[in-house]
Amino acid sequence: AAAGMELEEFMEHRVFEPIGLHGYSWDRFGPHTISLAGMRTNARDLARFGYLHLAGGERAGRRLVPRSWVESATRSSQSLNPGYGLTWWVNTDGTTWPSLPRDAFAAMGYLGCKCWVVPSLDLVVVRIADGPWPWDDAPFLSAIVASLA
């Protein structure tokens, strides 16, 4: 409402097109975008979104997302669950992903789809999957971090 258009349209023009994100769909409730869930995308486009946040909200020298929002969203936002920021899961206290640095944050979606961003390692990792279950992030992430050494 504040932008005078649906969330999907706003995001498409303001963020998705500038970062080259095209392989997505978003659920609607009648004519309205469902803002809290229902977006589907592929691994490449999810990585593009993660990379935008790794770069502090900039793409090719153009500010797409306010740096202050990226900084606020990717650190602990509350005492009830210190592993959560604002739409991102965070590692501020080092307990969410012990094998990752404390600046790590991630978008975590349905059926184990995840996008981790680790600024101190200049790293974006994406997992698009449904299983195997149970899934443990720790060995996966530890192997990736170890490969960087």
Side-chain angles (χ1 to χ4, degrees):
M5 63 185 78
E6 279 301 311
L7 176 61
E8 182 178 3
E9 183 181 0
F10 175 82
M11 290 298 292
E12 181 178 331
H13 297 295
R14 176 70 188 238
V15 178
F16 297 164
E17 284 179 2
I19 66 173
L21 195 151
H22 301 290
Y24 74 94
S25 65
W26 212 328
D27 290 347
R28 291 182 166 271
F29 183 75
H32 303 295
T33 309
I34 299 176
S35 61
L36 62 101
M39 186 178 168
R40 292 165 189 77
T41 192
N42 58 47
R44 183 178 307 259
D45 283 351
L46 186 54
R48 289 177 195 272
F49 190 72
Y51 189 74
L52 172 67
H53 287 78
L54 176 71
E58 277 191 28
R59 168 77 170 143
R62 182 175 165 203
R63 171 74 42 207
L64 303 176
V65 178
R67 179 174 292 281
S68 60
W69 168 254
V70 175
E71 290 171 356
S72 293
T74 58
R75 66 176 179 251
S76 183
S77 65
Q78 37 144 331
S79 60
L80 181 62
N81 183 356
Y84 194 69
L86 302 172
T87 69
W88 291 90
W89 293 90
V90 300
N91 200 39
T92 308
D93 63 2
T95 60
T96 307
W97 308 286
S99 64
L100 293 181
R102 290 181 176 219
D103 65 338
F105 56 93
M108 299 198 302
Y110 186 62
L111 295 175
C113 296
K114 299 178 181 177
C115 176
W116 292 272
V117 179
V118 188
S120 61
L121 298 177
D122 195 31
L123 179 68
V124 173
V125 177
V126 170
R127 178 179 188 265
I128 301 285
D130 179 8
W133 298 105
W135 172 262
D136 183 0
D137 292 337
F140 176 68
L141 295 170
S142 294
I144 291 169
V145 170
S147 74
L148 299 174

